[in-house]
Amino acid sequence: MKRSSSQRAALVGRRTVMGLVALVLLVAGVWSSWATAHHVVLAKGREHGTLTVTECGRETCTGRYEPDATSAARARVTVERSVAAEKGDRFPVVVKPGTDAVVRTGVPGFLHAWMPLSGAMVLAGFVIGGGLRMTRTAWGVGAAGAALLVATFVAL
């Protein structure tokens, strides 16, 4: 069956818009993740050490920071509650420059930093499958995002 030019234009328009929506979702996921991830990925030259959690509030946990090498010890630093399990836990961290906030490093910290991207990948999978009718690509993107979410949950 032959399509009219208006049907072809509508198809191209729908694919363009859905492609842009999927792209915006993925870019927003990377942008949101990079705010924390760059401290983990580009950690060379930053203060590295170990955090011992002493107390936890609703959104953050605090504790003692013990440096690995040349940085100074700190009596009180903060970390997001989602990466700190409970009082008494110890894990490697890197200090955000110019603050008393730390970011968890290692595999658990790396995976946690990229969680916004994994959620965006799951959402983009639905847009790619439903809006672009690219089912194999959608399954791949969605499954990769879901695998990253599960890996983060297991690692933390």
Side-chain angles (χ1 to χ4, degrees), residues 31-54:
W31 185 271
S32 182
S33 294
W34 191 247
T36 301
H38 80 277
H39 296 292
V40 178
V41 175
L42 304 174
K44 187 175 182 181
R46 299 186 194 261
E47 295 180 63
H48 293 266
T50 303
L51 171 68
T52 303
V53 178
T54 56

